[in-house]
Amino acid sequence: MTHSPNRTDSPNRTGGAPRSLAVVGGGVIGLTCALAALDAGRRVHVYDAGADGRAAWVAAGMLGSLGEGHPGEDELLRLSVASVRRWPDLVARLGDPAVLAAVDSLFVAASSADAEHLATLAEFVWARQPRADDDLRRVDLAEIRRLEPTLSSRMHSGFLAVGEGAVDNRRLLARLRDAVVAGGGQIVQERVADLADVDAEDVLVAAGLGTRALLPEVELHAAKGEILRLHRTRWSVPGPERVVRARMHGRSVYLVPRRDGIVVGATQYEPYEEQSVAPEVGGVADLLADATELMPGIRTYELAEAGAGLRPCTADGLPIIRRIDERVVVASGHGRNGILLAPYTADAAMAVLDGAATDHDQVATSTGGAQR
């Protein structure tokens, strides 16, 4: 993995034996941090409470700055760009190129108003992150159809973002677990109820929404999102080769390729109650309607899964990566960007753990994680 320039690679601040680290949380953030700690020479145990409620399990795995670059979110855009640059090293570390599901993204608009919205996002990204002309360029309907022939001929225009791809979220989780175990880490299937019971010199809490039960001072709220997983049959039309992110009459929908089909997403809203993780009919109906208008041939696919997940969010949209006390560091609150920000978070969390970053200015973080 690529390490932060502020990070010290030695896990031994006192010069003794490698320090032990307990990572509470077995999702993408926890596992990526655990792998970075192992590569730095630490002894690592990961405490995994199980897949129930795991945000990364219900995700599309998109990696890109244009799709996540919204006016007013300058710092999140900066983190996104920094993390995307780290992803090739992480994929190489995992040793499985098939973790990548796509390497480019095609942004399309259904109407002139939708096209104006995409142009605003593109101008925001261009202004803050200058890039080569061929990295992010406008495309007309003819080029949209040339790039992705199965998309509707009624699209207006769009942008091609070269290098903004996606990973297969479930394959990623499996490969991260494999890499942690192969690197000498131990994964314990256990829910931690009290950090005082964890036998380790340092503790990293990366438990998503579960972080609140362990660290009540960390302010998080849930955002619910639905995705659909579609299975390709022998009669299905070919799926897209790129991530397709569309603006459809004011609503957003995306199609992300998988080896066996397509992931369609995603809604995001505050749930009525956090105990309910079942997908809502309205959200599923909107996704199906928009996806079918975007790619009419999607009707030939099977609806294999309709899922919903709860994403841990902060008030300002930034993740919380900071020290809570002398022993405990938190890495949570990534919202819709957990997979995207995983490599950056691993480097940032290790910098905090190793003492290379000790204040708010050295590691970008939300204000939601107060020190004790």
Side-chain angles (χ1 to χ4, degrees), residues 10-354:
S10 172
N12 309 316
R13 288 174 292 190
T14 60
R19 290 183 67 85
S20 59
L21 174 67
V23 178
V24 182
V28 166
I29 296 296
L31 291 172
T32 306
C33 290
L35 185 59
L38 286 164
D39 287 346
R42 284 181 177 256
R43 293 177 289 117
V44 177
H45 282 70
V46 178
Y47 291 88
D48 183 4
D52 289 348
R54 179 165 292 157
W57 189 253
V58 187
M62 294 181 293
L63 311 176
S65 56
L66 175 56
E68 303 305 331
H70 298 277
E73 296 184 348
D74 300 63
E75 187 64 12
L76 180 58
L77 173 61
R78 186 184 72 80
L79 300 192
S80 299
V81 172
S83 199
V84 167
R85 290 173 180 163
R86 289 165 162 83
W87 261 102
D89 287 340
L90 178 55
V91 172
R93 174 65 179 84
L94 296 177
D96 182 7
V99 165
L100 286 173
V103 295
D104 301 324
S105 292
L106 182 61
F107 292 77
V108 299
S111 67
S112 58
D114 293 326
E116 184 176 348
H117 174 82
L118 290 184
T120 299
L121 297 185
E123 289 167 6
F124 170 74
V125 172
W126 270 322
R128 287 153 182 80
Q129 299 291 335
R131 49 201 303 171
D133 290 340
D134 59 350
D135 284 348
L136 177 60
R137 60 184 175 85
R138 297 176 186 269
V139 292
D140 58 16
L141 176 58
E143 188 162 9
I144 289 173
R145 294 279 289 167
R146 181 184 66 80
L147 293 169
E148 297 292 351
T150 58
L151 297 187
S152 170
S153 60
R154 296 183 178 182
M155 295 296 102
H156 182 278
S157 58
F159 291 86
L160 177 65
V162 176
E164 295 203 358
V167 294
D168 183 328
N169 59 311
R170 296 181 180 179
R171 192 179 187 100
L172 171 65
L173 281 164
R175 293 299 171 266
L176 282 169
R177 290 179 67 91
D178 292 345
V180 166
V181 173
Q186 296 188 41
I187 298 177
V188 181
Q189 298 298 135
E190 179 182 330
R191 182 179 298 276
V192 173
D194 189 335
L195 296 182
D197 297 332
V198 176
D199 183 15
E201 293 167 290
D202 296 313
V203 178
L204 176 67
V205 181
L209 287 171
T211 299
R212 297 175 301 184
L214 298 168
L215 300 171
E217 62 268 49
V218 175
E219 299 173 4
L220 299 172
H221 66 273
K224 188 175 181 178
E226 287 117 353
I227 67 163
L228 310 177
R229 298 180 73 93
L230 309 183
H231 180 256
R232 183 177 58 250
T233 72
R234 58 185 298 187
W235 299 280
S236 300
V237 302
E241 295 183 3
R242 300 159 187 83
V243 176
V244 178
R245 303 186 67 153
R247 183 78 175 178
M248 306 291 292
H249 314 295
R251 287 203 301 250
S252 296
V253 65
Y254 54 72
L255 311 179
V256 184
R258 290 291 189 265
R259 289 194 165 194
D260 61 349
I262 303 172
V263 173
V264 179
T267 60
Q268 180 160 309
Y269 54 92
E270 291 190 14
Y272 297 115
E273 56 181 5
E274 292 187 14
Q275 290 72 28
S276 174
V277 292
E280 294 189 5
V281 171
V284 173
D286 288 344
L287 289 176
L288 285 173
D290 291 340
T292 302
E293 182 179 355
L294 173 62
M295 179 184 160
I298 214 167
R299 295 173 180 271
T300 62
Y301 284 67
E302 294 177 343
L303 178 57
E305 179 183 332
L310 296 177
R311 299 156 183 160
C313 301
T314 62
D316 56 13
L318 294 174
I320 301 170
I321 311 168
R322 63 188 306 167
R323 182 170 293 281
I324 298 296
D325 57 32
E326 291 184 356
R327 180 173 179 248
V328 178
V329 170
V330 62
S332 190
H334 294 75
R336 66 181 185 270
N337 299 309
I339 292 176
L340 168 63
L341 294 177
Y344 169 85
T345 300
D347 283 345
M350 289 305 301
V352 175
L353 282 163
D354 291 344

